[in-house]
């Protein structure tokens, strides 16, 4: 009777060793996974740092180029204003000075609503809102007379240039 008991103990001991080895193996696998996840995170962190360096480089370089473009654009604007021309077409593009539209601003809504004609309002049930296009039309029809509560913000002149792109036949425009 001692023999089966001895064999059972031996089998049980072997099973315990296998379980210990399996648990040790699983622990080693988990440690490896943790190490790999750390490497993945380190890779993303390094990539973000590299992207930041590249973006900073690009910003520094393009800001210098943009400063040069702005300088040259101001020289073109100055030349055009001194020449008295409003537009100048050249082989590589065109330069222009245009006056922007005047803006209508409601400075006193109560005063405006008291004197506004129906053509100067967009009426939505239980609500009246200024119709800027209607107000502009009314000002033109009355020879420049402003309705009470309205003021005009005069449009400013703006300079722009338009480049001819020789590579694909399209034009690019930049307003300064």
């Amino acid at each position: 009777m001692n023999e089966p008991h001895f064999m059972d103990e031996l089998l049980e001991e072997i099973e315990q060793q296998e379980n210990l080895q399996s648990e040790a193996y699983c622990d080693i696998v988990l440690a490896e996974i943790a190490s790999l996840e750390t490497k993945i995170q380190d890779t993303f962190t390094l990539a973000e740092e590299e992207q930041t360096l590249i973006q900073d480089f690009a910003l520094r370089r393009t800001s210098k180029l943009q400063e040069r473009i702005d300088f040259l654009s101001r020289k073109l604007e100055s030349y055009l204003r001194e020449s008295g021309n409003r537009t100048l077409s050249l082989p590589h593009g065109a330069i222009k000075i245009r006056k922007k539209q005047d803006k209508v601003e409601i400075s006193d809504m109560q005063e405006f609503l008291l004197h506004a004609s129906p053509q100067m309002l967009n009426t939505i049930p239980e609500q009246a809102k200024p119709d800027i296009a209607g107000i502009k039309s009314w000002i033109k029809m009355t020879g420049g007379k402003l309705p009470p509560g309205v003021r005009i913000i005069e449009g400013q002149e703006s300079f722009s240039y338009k480049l001819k792109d020789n590579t694909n036949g399209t034009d690019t425009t930049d307003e300064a």
Side-chain angles (χ1 to χ4, degrees):
M1 285 200 180
N2 286 341
E3 285 183 51
H5 185 60
F6 173 74
M7 286 297 275
D8 287 338
E9 286 179 14
L10 192 57
L11 284 173
E12 189 176 312
E13 189 178 311
I14 291 172
E15 283 179 15
Q16 284 178 350
Q17 287 179 352
E18 284 179 356
N19 284 341
L20 286 175
Q21 287 178 349
S22 296
E23 289 175 5
Y25 174 76
C26 290
D27 192 48
I28 290 171
V29 169
L30 287 174
E32 179 68 16
I33 289 173
S35 172
L36 293 171
E37 285 183 351
T38 300
K39 287 180 182 178
I40 288 172
Q41 188 59 42
D42 290 346
T43 301
F44 280 118
T45 301
L46 180 63
E48 288 174 9
E49 290 170 0
E50 291 295 325
Q51 285 177 335
T52 301
L53 286 172
I54 291 168
Q55 287 173 344
D56 289 346
F57 167 77
L59 287 173
R60 281 192 311 273
R61 184 153 184 180
T62 57
S63 70
K64 288 179 183 178
L65 297 172
Q66 187 60 50
E67 286 173 4
R68 180 74 176 152
I69 289 171
D70 294 343
F71 172 75
L72 294 172
S73 177
R74 286 191 300 273
K75 287 186 89 155
L76 289 173
E77 180 180 5
S78 176
Y79 173 78
L80 194 59
R81 288 186 187 278
E82 287 175 12
S83 73
N85 293 326
R86 307 287 291 164
T87 301
L88 182 60
S89 294
L90 300 165
H92 286 96
I95 53 177
K96 302 176 185 181
I97 294 178
R98 295 287 180 257
K99 184 176 184 287
K100 294 181 179 180
Q101 282 190 342
D102 295 343
K103 292 181 182 179
V104 172
E105 180 182 82
I106 309 301
S107 57
D108 184 350
M109 182 64 81
Q110 299 300 336
E111 182 74 17
F112 170 74
L113 290 174
L114 286 173
H115 298 91
S117 68
Q119 85 178 54
M120 289 188 265
L121 296 171
N122 282 332
T123 305
I124 301 169
E126 299 185 25
Q127 184 181 14
K129 289 177 28 178
D131 178 7
I132 301 298
I135 295 169
K136 284 182 178 181
S137 171
W138 189 83
I139 292 170
K140 285 182 183 177
M141 288 183 354
T142 61
K145 183 179 174 194
L146 297 178
V150 173
R151 70 181 179 122
I152 295 292
I153 300 171
E154 190 172 324
Q156 300 296 316
E157 286 188 344
S158 69
F159 172 77
S160 67
Y161 59 86
K162 187 173 189 176
L163 300 174
K164 291 183 182 171
D165 184 4
N166 294 331
T167 58
N168 59 12
T170 60
D171 291 334
T172 58
T173 302
D174 183 36
E175 291 208 15

